[in-house]
Amino acid sequence: MPTWGHLGLQDSASPLMEQLIFFHDHAMVVLILITTLVGYMMSTLFFNTFTNRFLLEGQTIEIVWTVLPALILIFIALPSLRLLYLLDEVNNPSVTLKTIGHQWYWSYEYSDFLQVEFDSYMIPTNELAEDGFRLLDVDNRTVLPMNTQIRVLISAADVIHSWTVPALGVKADAIPGRLNQVSFLMNRPGLFYGQCSEICGANHSFMPIVVESVSVNSFLNWISSASDA
Ligand code: CUA
């Protein structure tokens, strides 16, 4: 989860988020190399007087400074496209979760099971437990099994919201009249926090998302007790 002064990405909880972090680091290395090279060349030109009154063209250097950036861009574009297609892949989900954005809370439906649906509201600061996370904890968490392929169907009832969990590498807009989908696999247990990521009105900041990743057995226990109620 996000912590004070944390500038990087959150620790991944899914293989795809791990790949996203690798791609981010790769792009940053390329960026630093380009910035260093261009910075060096600019400062060199600034502190020297390389003047040639008879220079009109330099075919060789022009080919180099045209083709080289194109090659560098390909080395960013190809991994980016690979990730894009990996993220869109939905491989035989075992559990489907439907989430609907409302002003201003999320509601969840486990349509694989009977009568499992509930609303998930943020816990207001004055009702927060001693160990609670302000503006982040909710009254009903979204419990999901780990090491299981999960599909989330996302829609909205009123205005556009966005269902986002950074540690899982998922974000999709919740749009009225449209059903979006994301898919992920959680490779460790834990609580993964997210926030609505589409400006949706006065309480946009106060409709967080908490995914509770548990073992398959714990999930089945939870879902059967939820079904009874
Ligand atoms: Cu819902 Cu922003």
Side-chain angles (χ1 to χ4, degrees):
M1 68 176 301
T3 47
W4 291 116
H6 192 203
L7 297 177
L9 294 159
Q10 291 176 37
D11 287 347
S12 77
S14 81
L16 283 175
M17 189 57 213
E18 193 172 26
Q19 291 294 312
L20 283 165
I21 293 171
F22 289 156
F23 177 67
H24 167 268
D25 294 352
H26 166 74
M28 287 310 275
V29 167
V30 174
L31 202 142
I32 288 165
L33 291 176
I34 293 171
T35 313
T36 313
L37 183 69
V38 173
Y40 168 74
M41 293 195 298
M42 284 172 69
S43 57
T44 309
L45 287 170
F46 193 75
F47 291 112
N48 290 283
T49 44
F50 296 130
T51 315
N52 184 339
R53 292 193 296 134
F54 306 105
L55 181 74
L56 289 173
E57 60 175 339
Q59 293 289 344
T60 317
I61 189 69
E62 283 170 14
I63 287 168
V64 168
W65 76 41
T66 306
V67 172
L68 201 65
L71 280 175
I72 294 169
L73 287 180
I74 287 170
F75 276 97
I76 297 174
L78 292 183
S80 169
L81 282 170
R82 187 188 83 109
L83 249 178
L84 195 66
Y85 283 96
L86 280 175
L87 286 167
D88 249 4
E89 187 79 39
V90 178
N91 357 246
N92 296 321
S94 307
V95 178
T96 298
L97 169 75
K98 187 178 176 190
T99 172
I100 300 154
H102 303 259
Q103 278 176 318
W104 287 276
Y105 62 97
W106 293 98
S107 69
Y108 296 98
E109 296 172 17
Y110 289 73
S111 22
D112 298 330
F113 307 91
L114 291 172
Q115 296 287 317
V116 186
E117 45 187 85
F118 55 85
D119 298 338
S120 181
Y121 283 88
M122 184 194 78
I123 300 174
T125 307
N126 56 313
E127 293 170 24
L128 205 60
E130 189 72 26
D131 57 352
F133 293 110
R134 193 177 73 94
L135 304 185
L136 236 35
D137 264 317
V138 294
D139 55 357
N140 291 307
R141 289 170 182 160
T142 313
V143 181
L144 285 170
M146 62 174 179
N147 292 324
T148 306
Q149 196 64 42
I150 290 156
R151 165 173 58 189
V152 188
L153 301 173
I154 301 159
S155 190
D158 33 51
V159 298
I160 304 179
H161 302 268
S162 181
W163 199 82
T164 311
V165 184
L168 300 175
V170 293
K171 169 180 286 179
D173 274 10
I175 300 167
R178 186 187 154 89
L179 204 58
N180 277 330
Q181 85 174 344
V182 294
S183 105
F184 58 83
L185 181 142
M186 297 182 288
N187 53 15
R188 62 185 170 93
L191 292 177
F192 307 124
Y193 291 85
Q195 289 173 302
C196 178
S197 301
E198 175 65 54
I199 308 292
C200 57
N203 291 329
H204 161 65
S205 318
F206 312 116
M207 48 180 298
I209 297 141
V210 185
V211 172
E212 184 174 344
S213 171
V214 297
S215 69
V216 176
N217 279 329
S218 304
F219 172 75
L220 290 173
N221 282 334
W222 175 82
I223 203 92
S224 49
S225 64
S227 288
D228 291 340

